Amino acid sequence: MKPKVAVFDFASCEGCELQIMNLEEKVIDLIDIVDVVSFREAMKENSNDYDIAFIDGCIVRPLDEKRLKEIRNCANILVAMGSCACFTGINGLRKQFTDEDVKRTVYGNAIIENNPYFDVFQPKAIDEVVKVDHYIYGCPIDRNELAEVITSLVMGKKPDIPNYPVCVECKQKENICVFDYGNFCIGPVTRAGCGAICPTNNCGCEGCRGLVNDPDTESELEVLQRYGLSLDDALDRFEMFCYQKGVVK
Amino acid sequence: MSREVKINLEHVSRIEGHGNIVMNSKNGKIQSIKWQVPEAPRFFEKLLTGRDYQDISHIASRICGICSIAHSLASLKASENAMGVVISDQTILLRKLALHAENIQSHILHVGYLAAPDLFGVGSIFPLIKTNRNAVTDIIKLHRLANEMSELICGRTTHPITLKVGGFTKIPAEEGLISLEEKLNNSFDIFRDVSKTILANIDKLPNFERETEYIGLVSDKEYALYDGMIGSTDTGMHDIDEYLSITNEFVVPHSTAKYTEHMRESYMVGALARFNLNNSRIKQKGKEVAENFGLESPCFNPFMNNVAQLVEVAHCLEDSIYIINRLIDRGLHDERVQVEVSAGRGIGAVEAPRGILFHDYVIDEDGKCIKANCIIPTNQNHANIQKDMEAFAPTLLHKSRDEIEHNLEMLVRAYDPCISCSTH
Ligand code: SF4
Ligand code: SF4
Ligand code: SF4
């Protein structure tokens, strides 16, 4: 029996879901090993009978929270797909502002009180609402990593998600360090897996995959020190994708 | 005959984002019909405030995974206009190429993966892998080509890396462009096969017409996508600065995405609107597609938006080759990007795959965004979807409940709505 797979999205740009389609011909191979039973963006059929659920986006309203819990009840394995799902990602920037403030800025004086569509709370990552079994980081996720995760799960293996910094991949590619161009990069403390795609394009890493689990080690700080920067300088730059009240200024 | 039909379709499938169709009819009369948008709002206009001009486009790009290049470009143009940054001809050419890549990717995704299953009477592209394998692999080939093109210019298929205020962090190598040109040249045969397959099944698109106002960028130089003035089939040409009085956004209780209106209760943006406004400037290959499908301007059938998208794919493939040749003739130059920060307000407009897109920023003397407004194509289409439904549903009432629902779903799909983007 092929495992049954479902894909769902919450507050997101759907860019992570799009990476499934961006697997191009590989999608045909994946369809051979899994049975997609719910994927609203791509198919009409849907079912509550699935083994693995892939979720993109973060949770911002009670009605989303309810839908997510129903999904968790149906799924044996739940995978948070993309930085929005894993740690709220870009949506974390909203945590600087009150809910009232953001609503007024966008919807002005419109009457939206007691309307469940507009009833937002501060963005929550998927694991702030339900248990998450696996995380695929990135904004967007790397489609090859996604394919590997799917294959691992089908084989009953634990997906291998890197816990070393982007710098490692960047050096493997023999890139010129963007600090040498006078740019700032948080590759030294950001979780790898993207193939250091931003520095490869002469753009500093913006930390979209989040912090490595234990960033405070010598080798990871080496690059920063070479350019006279501290861990705090790097953490400041994490605001864009990893805003956390009180942690990052 | 007394007959009641109730439709309560939560989350229309094969579109981007969440939308519901609710309809009640009794004895051949529509009692209520509503297009609802329950998408989770993300408040991007607020998220952009306080951010440095160098980061704005990378944040704005996350408004939409499918049209992230268009968002980046509208964002960059707004920031550049606000700060008075002048960009080079090479940058403009490369940006146009990036926008073509996205237009092809998005249109092929829509026509091939999302709309085509309706023409074949299936629920998704997946069963077609078995029954129409060649057609599916051809669609995938075109989709992959478009993605490779984005990757070459933007560094990544989704959420461009290299696009920056003032220019590019990295430009493609000449060899990369030459090999892309070859692939584009080879793509016309594949495209011809795909459009033949679609044409053979095109009678599945309902024959429904409702005249509305069509709005999009217009230009006297080219089929306007990257630049132009605002054009309306009702009121003619307008400066980009007038965008607020064209769009007139307002909030309705059943949609977290705002609605817009101009001269009538609704207007339409997107490929069909562009075709109706600019069809004389479409490149030859695009004109041939229009002719094969019998698409003529003005066309008031929203379902023909699918065909207008195919016309644009052919146009973009051909125009991309033209742009590549110009880039190679001029020679590629590694240009140093120099930006002087200055305070001001700027508006940027581009044609995203689904229609005209506006970003409007105020930037302060430190280069930080202090106010942002974004008006998204699908925002501008929501009211038109509603009005089309009101006109279309009464013509369907002799059909079975499921057929009525299916037709209404197809209508929504024809717009290729990008709902999470419209809610942003
Ligand atoms: S992680 Fe990034 S690409 Fe993925 S859904 Fe969120 S914003 Fe989009
Ligand atoms: S700091 Fe950034 S550019 Fe430099 S080596 Fe590390 S990842 Fe690469
Ligand atoms: S280099 Fe950094 S910002 Fe770029 S994709 Fe990798 S983790 Fe994300």
Side-chain angles (χ1 to χ4, degrees):
Chain A
M1 270 284 276
K2 293 197 264 183
K4 297 192 187 78
V5 167
V7 184
F8 302 97
D9 51 277
F10 289 86
S12 80
C13 81
E14 296 197 9
C16 285
E17 265 177 280
L18 185 66
Q19 302 317 308
I20 301 175
M21 292 319 198
N22 284 353
L23 282 164
E24 320 290 7
E25 286 85 353
K26 260 195 211 160
V27 172
I28 300 182
D29 303 335
L30 287 174
I31 295 293
D32 278 341
I33 60 167
V34 298
D35 203 0
V36 188
V37 297
S38 275
F39 184 3
R40 186 201 44 74
E41 201 183 349
M43 60 196 276
K44 188 169 169 66
E45 300 82 0
N46 69 77
S47 154
N48 286 333
D49 177 19
Y50 43 84
D51 306 298
I52 312 172
F54 288 87
I55 312 272
D56 91 7
C58 63
I59 304 300
V60 300
R61 299 170 302 186
L63 69 94
D64 303 321
E65 221 166 19
K66 183 167 164 278
R67 185 160 70 96
L68 177 62
K69 285 178 182 161
E70 287 162 9
I71 294 168
R72 178 70 262 194
N73 279 338
C74 297
N76 294 328
I77 299 175
L78 189 142
V79 185
M81 182 169 68
S83 298
C84 292
C86 293
F87 48 81
T88 74
I90 202 89
N91 298 282
L93 286 172
R94 219 186 93 199
K95 296 173 194 166
Q96 307 164 82
F97 311 107
T98 65
D99 301 334
E100 196 51 28
D101 185 8
V102 297
K103 281 198 254 186
R104 287 300 147 224
T105 304
V106 171
Y107 295 111
N109 296 323
I111 300 162
I112 52 173
E113 281 74 28
N114 303 319
N115 183 330
Y117 284 5
F118 297 86
D119 183 19
V120 295
F121 45 62
Q122 293 278 295
K124 290 183 188 174
I126 299 299
D127 66 6
E128 291 177 72
V129 180
V130 298
K131 177 173 170 273
V132 170
D133 300 296
H134 302 286
Y135 299 82
I136 312 178
Y137 300 97
C139 180
I141 53 168
D142 180 278
R143 53 185 183 260
N144 293 319
E145 196 168 70
L146 169 69
E148 278 165 32
V149 169
I150 296 173
T151 320
S152 301
L153 292 176
V154 169
M155 297 194 301
K157 288 202 305 202
K158 188 176 180 294
D160 188 19
I161 299 291
N163 185 35
Y164 47 82
V166 171
C167 272
V168 173
E169 292 178 331
C170 193
K171 283 174 189 143
Q172 278 164 2
K173 289 207 163 171
E174 300 179 356
N175 289 334
I176 299 172
C177 181
V178 302
F179 279 109
D180 289 339
Y181 299 110
N183 293 341
F184 194 71
C185 180
I186 46 178
V189 280
T190 299
R191 181 190 304 277
C194 58
I197 191 167
C198 298
T200 306
N201 284 288
N202 298 345
C203 185
C205 170
E206 294 166 334
C208 83
R209 300 171 73 90
L211 216 59
V212 282
N213 287 352
D214 177 23
D216 202 5
T217 65
E218 277 310 304
S219 66
E220 283 151 12
L221 294 178
E222 189 201 290
V223 184
L224 289 176
Q225 278 158 4
R226 191 172 340 131
Y227 296 94
L229 297 158
S230 67
L231 184 61
D232 276 349
D233 292 328
L235 289 179
D236 266 354
R237 186 75 185 119
F238 265 102
E239 211 177 74
M240 193 156 141
F241 288 99
C242 310
Y243 186 92
Q244 267 183 317
K245 262 194 198 122
V247 174
V248 175
K249 285 156 281 214
Chain B
M1 185 190 75
S2 114
R3 180 179 176 231
E4 269 188 70
V5 183
K6 280 190 197 306
I7 291 175
N8 196 347
L9 179 65
E10 199 173 87
H11 302 167
V12 174
S13 62
R14 301 210 315 275
I15 57 169
E16 196 277 354
H18 300 92
N20 306 335
I21 299 170
V22 183
M23 188 201 94
N24 289 304
S25 76
K26 201 172 176 183
N27 301 334
K29 283 233 154 43
I30 302 285
Q31 300 197 296
S32 63
I33 182 156
K34 203 130 245 147
W35 167 236
Q36 303 177 330
V37 180
E39 187 69 35
R42 291 170 296 150
F43 305 98
F44 265 93
E45 278 121 341
K46 191 73 190 187
L47 304 191
L48 288 169
T49 60
R51 312 321 300 177
D52 190 87
Y53 79 92
Q54 301 185 71
D55 294 338
I56 295 173
S57 77
H58 281 196
I59 297 171
S61 140
R62 269 75 185 184
I63 290 175
C64 182
I66 301 181
C67 49
S68 56
I69 295 177
H71 277 287
S72 298
L73 293 177
S75 173
L76 294 173
K77 285 173 80 176
S79 298
E80 285 159 358
N81 288 339
M83 300 194 295
V85 177
V86 180
I87 57 168
S88 72
D89 288 346
Q90 174 178 293
T91 293
I92 294 174
L93 287 170
L94 285 167
R95 285 182 180 180
K96 285 182 172 175
L97 206 49
L99 200 56
H100 281 344
E102 180 164 272
N103 218 17
I104 301 168
Q105 175 269 123
S106 176
H107 286 353
I108 289 292
L109 179 76
H110 178 245
V111 178
Y113 291 70
L114 310 184
D118 286 330
L119 305 181
F120 289 92
V122 289
S124 75
I125 197 171
F126 302 132
L128 298 177
I129 296 173
K130 283 213 176 68
T131 56
N132 299 61
R133 192 157 181 121
N134 286 344
V136 174
T137 48
D138 280 347
I139 288 167
I140 293 179
K141 276 184 205 151
L142 291 173
H143 191 253
R144 178 159 45 78
L145 170 61
N147 269 337
E148 283 171 7
M149 203 167 148
S150 305
E151 223 157 353
L152 180 72
I153 318 289
C154 306
R156 181 163 57 196
T157 52
T158 306
H159 299 318
I161 297 167
T162 57
L163 309 182
K164 282 278 179 180
V165 171
F168 281 78
T169 60
K170 189 178 182 180
I171 58 165
E174 193 176 303
E175 307 83 76
L177 287 175
I178 291 171
S179 109
L180 174 62
E181 186 189 353
E182 200 184 307
K183 287 181 191 162
L184 288 165
N185 273 317
N186 294 335
S187 70
F188 290 111
D189 287 342
I190 308 170
F191 177 78
R192 197 168 307 121
D193 289 345
V194 169
S195 58
K196 257 193 210 146
T197 314
I198 307 267
L199 185 59
N201 294 279
I202 204 70
D203 57 320
K204 306 284 186 321
L205 289 183
N207 209 342
F208 159 75
E209 289 191 343
R210 185 183 71 88
E211 190 188 343
T212 186
E213 181 183 4
Y214 298 89
I215 292 181
L217 286 181
V218 289
S219 158
D220 52 13
K221 294 192 207 71
E222 59 187 5
Y223 188 76
L225 293 169
Y226 176 71
D227 222 351
M229 291 177 75
I230 303 172
S232 150
T233 47
D234 281 0
T235 58
M237 312 258 275
H238 302 266
D239 281 333
I240 298 294
D241 296 356
E242 289 174 57
Y243 88 99
L244 283 173
S245 65
I246 305 278
T247 51
N248 307 299
E249 271 195 322
F250 60 98
V251 181
V252 294
H254 52 276
S255 167
T256 48
K258 289 183 221 173
Y259 276 41
T260 61
E261 62 183 358
H262 183 225
M263 296 308 287
R264 315 178 187 206
E265 283 174 304
S266 71
Y267 62 88
M268 184 175 185
V269 300
L272 185 63
R274 292 191 287 258
F275 181 85
N276 281 343
L277 287 157
N278 296 312
N279 65 306
S280 66
R281 299 192 201 286
I282 286 177
K283 296 249 155 157
Q284 190 51 34
K285 300 267 189 207
K287 285 194 173 141
E288 284 164 22
V289 179
E291 214 164 279
N292 290 342
F293 281 84
L295 176 64
E296 280 174 24
S297 163
C299 169
F300 303 134
N301 180 353
F303 290 96
M304 289 303 269
N305 191 46
N306 291 297
V307 173
Q309 289 186 332
L310 277 180
V311 171
E312 286 193 347
V313 171
H315 166 85
C316 292
L317 290 170
E318 183 176 341
D319 197 47
S320 297
I321 294 173
Y322 170 74
I323 294 175
I324 292 173
N325 283 321
R326 276 182 66 192
L327 280 164
I328 291 174
D329 286 349
R330 311 170 74 253
L332 289 156
H333 305 282
D334 241 326
E335 297 163 336
R336 283 254 148 247
V337 172
Q338 298 258 323
V339 174
E340 271 188 47
V341 172
S342 71
R345 175 183 170 202
I347 302 163
V350 299
E351 282 289 340
R354 291 160 189 76
I356 191 164
L357 164 68
F358 303 97
H359 281 225
D360 174 2
Y361 305 148
V362 179
I363 293 188
D364 71 8
E365 59 279 6
D366 298 324
K368 296 233 184 305
C369 175
I370 48 175
K371 197 163 185 273
N373 187 28
C374 307
I375 297 188
I376 274 86
T378 298
N379 281 141
Q380 301 169 74
N381 274 335
H382 282 313
N384 214 57
I385 295 176
Q386 172 70 33
K387 290 291 150 196
D388 271 358
M389 273 189 186
E390 289 170 14
F392 187 42
T395 70
L396 303 170
L397 293 177
H398 60 286
K399 294 179 189 281
S400 73
R401 187 204 160 280
D402 286 356
E403 277 180 297
I404 298 172
E405 182 179 286
H406 177 66
N407 272 276
L408 292 175
E409 249 190 306
M410 272 177 77
L411 174 68
V412 171
R413 249 175 236 136
Y415 281 82
D416 186 11
C418 200
I419 296 177
S420 58
C421 178
S422 73
T423 301
H424 58 285

